[in-house]
């Protein structure tokens, strides 16, 4: 197990569209374990493979208070069940330190493969629905800052570029 490095906005690798996983193997499960460890260490409630520079359609989530409910979604397909949008102050491990209001559909259904390659379908609402949509956006090369005004996004970019220069 290992804690992986998380890419930060405006890194262009975060814009990569991830490819479907054709076979769930021991290597896939090793990556899942590393991603869960990375998410818990951060700490975060979700992590998409894109954020650790692996461009495969895989994400992990745990919205429990005590790290007791890891969820794995491979090749997730979202169907919107309730098109009514809800607002939430979102953050992102790839956009550290910024929280902004984003609107998304409140209720979704997701079909995916689990860590054994078995298909499953579930309905999600509340924070789980928000987080899942945020993670699937990552797999499509999209970030929550893309929903903000150009001005806000540029302010965030400048601040993060400065932080990254200071660390280098
Ligand atoms: O840890 C995270 N918290 C969060 C809060 C509100 C909406 C979405 C998220 S996901 C984020 C982790 C992350 O960046 N996943 O991609
Ligand atoms: Ni994120």
């Amino acid at each position: 197990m290992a804690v992986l490095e998380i890419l930060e906005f405006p890194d262009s690798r975060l814009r990569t569209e991830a490819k479907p996983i054709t076979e769930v193997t021991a290597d896939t499960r090793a990556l899942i374990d590393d991603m869960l460890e990375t998410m818990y260490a951060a700490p975060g409630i979700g992590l998409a493979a894109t954020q650790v520079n692996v461009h495969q359609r895989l994400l992990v989530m745990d919205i429990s208070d005590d790290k007791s409910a890891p969820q794995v979604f491979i090749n997730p397909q979202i169907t919107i069940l309730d098109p009514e949008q809800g607002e939430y102050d979102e953050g992102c491990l790839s956009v550290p330190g910024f929280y902004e209001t984003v609107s998304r559909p409140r209720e979704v259904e997701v079909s995916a493969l689990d860590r054994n390659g078995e298909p499953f379908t579930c309905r999600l609402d509340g924070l789980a629905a928000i987080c899942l949509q945020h993670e699937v956006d990552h797999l499509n090369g999209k970030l929550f800052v893309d929903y903000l005004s150009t001005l806000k996004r540029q302010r965030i970019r400048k601040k993060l570029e400065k932080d990254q220069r200071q660390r280098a």
Side-chain angles (χ1 to χ4, degrees):
M1 297 255 283
V3 172
L4 308 173
E5 189 185 331
I6 297 176
L7 301 178
E8 291 184 6
F9 179 69
D11 194 312
S12 62
R13 292 171 291 183
L14 288 167
R15 300 311 189 174
T16 312
E17 190 180 345
K19 295 208 158 59
I21 291 181
T22 53
E23 200 187 353
V24 178
T25 64
D27 284 351
T28 315
R29 284 184 281 276
L31 173 61
I32 288 166
D33 290 340
D34 287 348
M35 284 175 58
L36 284 166
E37 192 178 350
T38 303
M39 177 184 76
Y40 288 133
I45 59 169
L47 188 72
T50 309
Q51 292 176 278
V52 295
N53 201 29
V54 175
H55 301 290
Q56 302 178 12
R57 301 193 77 83
L58 162 63
L59 66 91
V60 297
M61 247 169 69
D62 188 340
I63 58 163
S64 72
D65 292 329
D66 56 355
K67 307 181 174 185
S68 61
Q71 291 183 283
V72 175
F73 299 87
I74 296 168
N75 300 341
Q77 298 277 3
I78 291 182
T79 307
I80 294 168
L81 293 180
D82 180 357
E84 192 200 333
Q85 304 238 330
E87 290 187 341
Y88 197 81
D89 274 356
E90 296 199 12
C92 180
L93 297 172
S94 297
V95 190
F98 291 90
Y99 294 85
E100 297 286 347
T101 306
V102 175
S103 295
R104 300 185 187 271
R106 287 180 186 280
E107 191 179 9
V108 298
E109 183 178 81
V110 57
S111 296
L113 303 179
D114 67 15
R115 62 180 289 136
N116 298 312
E118 297 296 330
F120 68 97
T121 299
C122 60
R123 293 167 76 105
L124 300 178
D125 59 13
L127 185 55
I130 292 163
C131 188
L132 183 85
Q133 292 176 80
H134 174 115
E135 303 313 335
V136 171
D137 273 355
H138 277 301
L139 301 181
N140 293 329
K142 187 158 184 164
L143 297 168
F144 85 90
V145 296
D146 299 343
Y147 297 101
L148 309 178
S149 69
T150 307
L151 180 64
K152 267 193 182 166
R153 188 165 51 254
Q154 277 178 358
R155 280 200 195 123
I156 293 170
R157 179 168 58 78
K158 296 268 184 255
K159 170 68 162 60
L160 289 178
E161 281 173 343
K162 188 176 165 199
D163 293 350
Q164 289 159 22
R165 274 198 305 275
Q166 284 178 338
R167 263 183 281 150

